[in-house]
Amino acid sequence: MSNLKGKVVAITGASSGIGEVTARLLAGRGADVVLGARRVDRLEKIVADIQAKAGSAAYRALDVTNREDVETFVKFAEQQFGKVDVVVNNAGLMPLSPLEALKVDEWDRMVDVNIKGVLYGIAAGLPIMKRQGYGQFVNISSIAGHQVFPTAAVYCGTKFAVQAISEGLRMENTNIRVTVIAPGATESELAETITDESAREWVKGLRNTAIPADAIARAIAFAIEQPDDIDVNEIIVRPTVSQH
Ligand code: NDP
């Protein structure tokens, strides 16, 4: 029997891309999944699909830039299924541009969603996991958490932050597992937030070799299904042809 059976997994940014596919895959392997994002119409449909296949799922509207919202979301998962085994901090956006374009509003949004959203997820999940005596955070970083690229200074900064925060969280907690997943180019809607033309063209090139989101979902499932005393700290998943 899969070690995922009966695990309660709350996933932020579950309305598309990696979050959606992860919810579907984990539910298919017996987890109770709780989906959060702003596009509730999408969540409703995904949850209906999962339930139609005899999976267990619930959803709640979520804006990760709002601390109370994130806290309510994780508590909702606990209320629905009686515990919280895993919080997947996945919500993110990537409006790339050169710094000199001064798209400061986009910098703010990246910091708010990619860094503060993850911190709020930790703030919401940690007290519950401490009380339970177990739990796991799966934080979605990126290749951009390891390397810096032109037009991606701020995005890389947010993903380097996810790496650092995750490592600190891991070191401070000996009964809570912390996993970083660092994908390379993956099929999703992520590039749609790019408003800068040169960055959009660059990313379009990368997208030609993007791997399916299912590849990332399988890595997440692998980390979760390990025995409790084994913490998979990080998995980097790239397209084989990637030179980055
Ligand atoms: P998508 O754009 O398909 O998914 C992003 C998700 O984040 C959506 O469900 C969106 O939902 C959600 N989201 C955005 N803003 C908020 C918010 N304020 N509150 C709640 N949810 C929000 O892209 P991906 O699946 O690719 O992205 C998932 C993660 O993977 C991100 O952290 C991204 O940085 C990371 N990543 C992706 C890579 C790739 O190549 N695709 C590579 C490396 C990392 P909604 O709009 O409904 O709120």
Side-chain angles (χ1 to χ4, degrees):
M1 191 167 57
S2 167
N3 196 19
L4 285 166
K5 178 105 190 100
K7 285 215 163 154
V8 180
V9 184
I11 306 169
T12 72
S15 60
S16 64
I18 292 168
E20 172 184 350
V21 175
T22 299
R24 290 180 186 275
L25 183 137
L26 297 180
R29 294 195 195 173
D32 302 310
V33 292
V34 182
L35 293 77
R38 294 164 305 171
R39 289 171 293 174
V40 178
D41 52 330
R42 294 235 195 159
L43 298 181
E44 188 179 3
K45 186 174 173 311
I46 297 162
V47 166
D49 280 355
I50 290 172
Q51 290 171 343
K53 291 178 184 148
S56 171
Y59 72 91
R60 196 173 196 291
L62 169 67
D63 183 342
V64 298
T65 66
N66 181 315
R67 183 182 167 189
E68 271 180 23
D69 228 20
V70 184
E71 194 172 335
T72 306
F73 171 68
V74 177
K75 279 191 180 146
F76 170 75
E78 189 185 26
Q79 282 156 9
Q80 288 289 306
F81 296 112
K83 60 180 177 148
V84 178
D85 292 286
V86 187
V87 173
V88 182
N89 285 309
N90 164 73
L93 47 101
M94 188 187 71
L96 303 180
S97 61
L99 289 170
E100 68 175 15
L102 297 185
K103 291 185 184 274
V104 179
D105 289 349
E106 294 184 351
W107 303 352
D108 283 341
R109 280 176 54 221
M110 278 189 277
V111 169
D112 287 347
V113 175
N114 299 5
I115 303 180
K116 290 175 74 178
V118 171
L119 285 170
Y120 292 162
I122 292 168
L126 199 51
I128 295 173
M129 293 180 193
K130 284 284 184 193
R131 173 163 37 83
Q132 294 175 161
Y134 62 85
Q136 181 174 15
F137 290 98
V138 177
N139 296 335
I140 310 302
S141 172
S142 171
I143 292 299
H146 290 273
Q147 292 169 253
V148 181
F149 308 94
T151 74
V154 179
Y155 181 70
C156 293
T158 66
K159 293 303 186 180
F160 272 65
V162 170
Q163 300 278 148
I165 292 161
S166 302
E167 181 62 358
L169 180 66
R170 182 190 71 75
M171 294 167 102
E172 287 177 7
N173 293 281
T174 51
N175 54 1
I176 292 167
R177 301 190 295 169
V178 181
T179 301
V180 172
I181 303 289
T186 304
E187 288 166 7
S188 78
E189 298 175 11
L190 195 67
E192 289 174 20
T193 54
I194 303 175
T195 59
D196 181 84
E197 207 45 53
S198 63
R200 192 189 276 275
E201 281 307 306
W202 178 64
V203 169
K204 216 188 263 175
L206 289 181
R207 297 283 126 187
N208 294 333
T209 58
I211 53 178
D214 192 60
I216 311 305
R218 290 198 303 274
I220 293 170
F222 173 80
I224 296 175
E225 70 193 359
Q226 298 309 307
D228 286 348
D229 60 339
I230 295 172
D231 184 3
V232 177
N233 297 147
E234 180 170 10
I235 306 177
I236 300 178
V237 187
R238 285 185 175 95
T240 307
V241 299
S242 175
Q243 292 184 302
H244 295 288

